[in-house]
Amino acid sequence: MAFHQTTRSMSSAKVWNVYLSGEIHSDWREVISKGVADKKLPVALTSPNTSHEDSDDCGAIILGMEEKRQNWDKVGANMNNIRTKTLIREADVVVVRFGEKYRQWNAAFDAGYAAALGKSIITLHPPSISHMLKEVNASASVVCEDASQVVDTLAYVIDGTLPETPRDGDDFVPIADRLGKGNPNP
Protein backbone atom coordinates (compact mmCIF):
# COMPACT_ATOMS: atom_id res chain seq x y z
CA MET A 1 0.00 0.00 0.00
CA ALA A 2 1.43 3.38 -0.96
CA PHE A 3 1.84 5.95 1.75
CA HIS A 4 1.09 9.51 0.69
CA GLN A 5 3.09 12.09 2.58
CA THR A 6 1.99 15.68 2.20
CA THR A 7 3.03 18.95 3.73
CA ARG A 8 0.36 21.35 4.84
CA SER A 9 1.10 24.80 6.13
CA MET A 10 -0.95 24.64 9.31
CA SER A 11 1.02 27.17 11.34
CA SER A 12 1.50 30.89 11.17
CA ALA A 13 4.78 32.57 12.05
CA LYS A 14 4.42 31.34 15.63
CA VAL A 15 7.57 30.12 17.33
CA TRP A 16 6.72 27.14 19.50
CA ASN A 17 8.30 27.00 22.95
CA VAL A 18 9.20 23.41 23.79
CA TYR A 19 10.60 22.57 27.23
CA LEU A 20 12.75 19.43 27.42
CA SER A 21 12.54 17.91 30.90
CA GLY A 22 14.11 14.75 32.21
CA GLU A 23 17.21 12.63 32.32
CA ILE A 24 20.55 14.23 31.57
CA HIS A 25 22.68 11.15 30.87
CA SER A 26 21.97 10.59 27.17
CA ASP A 27 21.90 12.66 23.97
CA TRP A 28 18.12 12.80 23.51
CA ARG A 29 18.05 16.62 23.72
CA GLU A 30 20.70 16.87 20.98
CA VAL A 31 18.75 14.45 18.76
CA ILE A 32 15.61 16.57 19.13
CA SER A 33 17.56 19.81 18.58
CA LYS A 34 19.16 18.45 15.39
CA GLY A 35 15.83 17.07 14.14
CA VAL A 36 14.05 20.38 14.73
CA ALA A 37 16.86 22.24 12.92
CA ASP A 38 16.93 19.75 10.02
CA LYS A 39 13.17 20.13 9.53
CA LYS A 40 13.45 23.91 9.93
CA LEU A 41 10.67 23.94 12.52
CA PRO A 42 9.88 27.24 14.26
CA VAL A 43 10.77 25.88 17.69
CA ALA A 44 12.64 27.38 20.64
CA LEU A 45 13.96 24.60 22.88
CA THR A 46 14.54 25.16 26.57
CA SER A 47 15.52 22.89 29.43
CA PRO A 48 16.66 22.82 33.02
CA ASN A 49 20.35 23.23 33.78
CA THR A 50 21.71 19.91 32.51
CA SER A 51 24.98 20.08 34.46
CA HIS A 52 24.26 17.81 37.43
CA GLU A 53 27.11 19.27 39.47
CA ASP A 54 26.09 22.90 38.84
CA SER A 55 22.46 22.09 39.59
CA ASP A 56 23.47 20.48 42.90
CA ASP A 57 26.01 23.12 43.96
CA CYS A 58 24.49 26.38 42.66
CA GLY A 59 23.18 27.44 46.07
CA ALA A 60 26.49 26.86 47.83
CA ILE A 61 28.49 28.49 45.03
CA ILE A 62 26.30 31.62 44.92
CA LEU A 63 25.21 31.96 48.57
CA GLY A 64 28.02 30.19 50.39
CA MET A 65 28.42 26.83 52.08
CA GLU A 66 25.71 25.46 54.34
CA GLU A 67 26.48 23.34 57.39
CA LYS A 68 23.63 20.91 56.73
CA ARG A 69 23.41 19.12 53.39
CA GLN A 70 19.61 19.05 53.53
CA ASN A 71 19.46 22.84 53.49
CA TRP A 72 22.16 22.97 50.78
CA ASP A 73 19.96 20.78 48.58
CA LYS A 74 16.91 22.94 49.31
CA VAL A 75 18.70 26.17 48.41
CA GLY A 76 19.93 24.68 45.12
CA ALA A 77 16.54 23.14 44.36
CA ASN A 78 14.82 26.48 44.97
CA MET A 79 17.22 28.23 42.58
CA ASN A 80 16.66 25.57 39.91
CA ASN A 81 12.91 25.80 40.51
CA ILE A 82 12.88 29.46 39.40
CA ARG A 83 14.09 28.42 35.94
CA THR A 84 11.95 25.29 35.73
CA LYS A 85 8.67 26.93 36.73
CA THR A 86 9.24 29.93 34.46
CA LEU A 87 10.13 27.88 31.38
CA ILE A 88 7.31 25.36 31.87
CA ARG A 89 4.81 28.23 32.26
CA GLU A 90 6.09 29.73 28.99
CA ALA A 91 6.09 26.40 27.13
CA ASP A 92 3.59 25.40 24.46
CA VAL A 93 4.71 21.78 24.72
CA VAL A 94 6.57 19.97 27.50
CA VAL A 95 8.59 16.88 26.54
CA VAL A 96 9.40 14.69 29.54
CA ARG A 97 12.11 12.03 29.12
CA PHE A 98 12.38 9.06 31.45
CA GLY A 99 15.28 6.63 31.16
CA GLU A 100 15.66 3.15 32.58
CA LYS A 101 18.79 3.67 34.66
CA TYR A 102 17.97 6.62 36.94
CA ARG A 103 14.85 7.58 38.85
CA GLN A 104 13.75 10.94 37.49
CA TRP A 105 11.58 12.28 40.31
CA ASN A 106 12.14 15.81 39.01
CA ALA A 107 10.84 14.80 35.57
CA ALA A 108 7.70 13.30 37.11
CA PHE A 109 7.22 16.49 39.11
CA ASP A 110 7.70 18.58 35.95
CA ALA A 111 5.07 16.46 34.16
CA GLY A 112 2.62 16.96 37.02
CA TYR A 113 3.25 20.71 37.09
CA ALA A 114 2.80 20.93 33.31
CA ALA A 115 -0.42 18.91 33.54
CA ALA A 116 -1.74 21.19 36.30
CA LEU A 117 -1.07 24.18 34.02
CA GLY A 118 -2.90 22.48 31.14
CA LYS A 119 0.24 22.18 29.00
CA SER A 120 0.49 19.70 26.14
CA ILE A 121 2.81 16.91 27.27
CA ILE A 122 4.83 14.43 25.25
CA THR A 123 6.46 11.66 27.25
CA LEU A 124 9.56 9.91 25.95
CA HIS A 125 10.71 6.60 27.38
CA PRO A 126 11.48 2.99 26.50
CA PRO A 127 8.47 0.63 26.42
CA SER A 128 9.93 -1.39 29.30
CA ILE A 129 8.97 1.31 31.82
CA SER A 130 5.51 2.14 30.44
CA HIS A 131 3.70 0.42 33.31
CA MET A 132 5.40 2.44 36.03
CA LEU A 133 4.62 5.63 34.10
CA LYS A 134 0.98 4.84 33.34
CA GLU A 135 -0.37 7.82 35.31
CA VAL A 136 2.14 10.22 33.74
CA ASN A 137 1.37 8.81 30.28
CA ALA A 138 -2.36 9.23 30.95
CA SER A 139 -1.75 13.00 31.14
CA ALA A 140 0.37 13.04 27.99
CA SER A 141 -1.04 13.83 24.57
CA VAL A 142 1.62 11.63 22.95
CA VAL A 143 3.86 8.83 24.28
CA CYS A 144 7.07 8.35 22.27
CA GLU A 145 9.73 5.64 22.43
CA ASP A 146 12.58 7.57 20.79
CA ALA A 147 13.57 11.17 20.17
CA SER A 148 12.89 10.98 16.42
CA GLN A 149 9.21 10.34 17.20
CA VAL A 150 9.17 13.55 19.24
CA VAL A 151 10.59 15.48 16.27
CA ASP A 152 8.06 13.87 13.90
CA THR A 153 5.23 14.71 16.32
CA LEU A 154 6.35 18.35 16.52
CA ALA A 155 6.59 18.54 12.71
CA TYR A 156 3.07 17.18 12.31
CA VAL A 157 1.58 19.41 15.02
CA ILE A 158 3.31 22.56 13.75
CA ASP A 159 3.01 22.26 9.97
CA GLY A 160 1.19 19.02 9.17
CA THR A 161 4.26 17.23 7.84
CA LEU A 162 4.28 13.46 8.23
CA PRO A 163 7.41 11.28 8.01
CA GLU A 164 8.28 9.99 4.56
CA THR A 165 8.00 6.40 5.79
CA PRO A 166 5.46 5.15 8.34
CA ARG A 167 6.92 3.77 11.59
CA ASP A 168 5.56 0.32 10.73
CA GLY A 169 6.99 0.40 7.19
CA ASP A 170 5.22 -1.94 4.78
CA ASP A 171 2.91 -3.13 7.57
CA PHE A 172 1.20 0.29 7.65
CA VAL A 173 -2.40 0.19 6.40
CA PRO A 174 -4.28 3.49 5.96
CA ILE A 175 -7.48 3.78 7.97
CA ALA A 176 -9.59 4.00 4.81
CA ASP A 177 -8.24 0.60 3.75
CA ARG A 178 -8.79 -0.89 7.21
CA LEU A 179 -12.33 0.38 7.68
CA GLY A 180 -13.48 1.03 4.13
CA LYS A 181 -13.58 4.27 2.19
CA GLY A 182 -16.34 6.61 3.25
CA ASN A 183 -16.87 4.82 6.55
CA PRO A 184 -18.83 7.32 8.65
CA ASN A 185 -17.20 6.02 11.84
CA PRO A 186 -13.49 5.52 11.09
Side-chain angles (χ1 to χ4, degrees):
M1 179 57 45
F3 173 67
H4 301 284
Q5 191 254 354
T6 59
T7 302
R8 298 170 189 87
S9 181
M10 294 171 44
S11 182
S12 63
K14 174 181 175 52
V15 174
W16 291 68
N17 293 314
V18 178
Y19 184 77
L20 304 178
S21 170
E23 66 95 358
I24 60 172
H25 305 285
S26 67
D27 70 346
W28 70 276
R29 284 183 179 85
E30 290 78 15
V31 171
I32 291 173
S33 180
K34 182 178 181 328
V36 163
D38 289 349
K39 291 181 182 286
K40 296 177 176 45
L41 296 175
V43 170
L45 298 173
T46 59
S47 71
N49 182 341
T50 58
S51 166
H52 196 164
E53 294 79 12
D54 290 354
S55 176
D56 284 349
D57 293 335
C58 62
I61 290 170
I62 295 168
L63 301 176
M65 295 291 291
E66 294 285 338
E67 290 184 28
K68 295 181 179 179
R69 177 67 183 180
Q70 183 177 10
N71 193 41
W72 184 350
D73 282 345
K74 182 173 179 6
V75 171
N78 286 345
M79 285 186 173
N80 291 318
N81 197 25
I82 294 169
R83 177 182 179 89
T84 300
K85 285 169 50 176
T86 300
L87 294 176
I88 290 175
R89 269 195 312 267
E90 293 173 353
D92 298 300
V93 178
V94 176
V95 178
V96 186
R97 162 75 175 153
F98 296 91
E100 291 181 286
K101 186 173 180 182
Y102 300 97
R103 307 240 189 265
Q104 290 91 42
W105 307 121
N106 58 326
F109 186 84
D110 288 355
Y113 183 62
L117 293 173
K119 299 296 179 176
S120 295
I121 300 169
I122 299 172
T123 57
L124 170 60
H125 59 79
S128 61
I129 61 174
S130 290
H131 176 72
M132 68 183 80
L133 294 171
K134 65 184 178 291
E135 283 80 11
V136 175
N137 286 339
S139 292
S141 297
V142 181
V143 178
C144 296
E145 296 176 7
D146 62 59
S148 68
Q149 289 178 321
V150 173
V151 174
D152 288 341
T153 298
L154 292 172
Y156 176 72
V157 168
I158 293 168
D159 65 19
T161 302
L162 289 168
E164 290 183 25
T165 305
R167 178 79 170 190
D168 294 324
D170 292 338
D171 291 334
F172 171 76
V173 178
I175 196 164
D177 293 345
R178 285 183 279 145
L179 299 177
K181 293 187 188 301
N183 184 333
N185 300 308

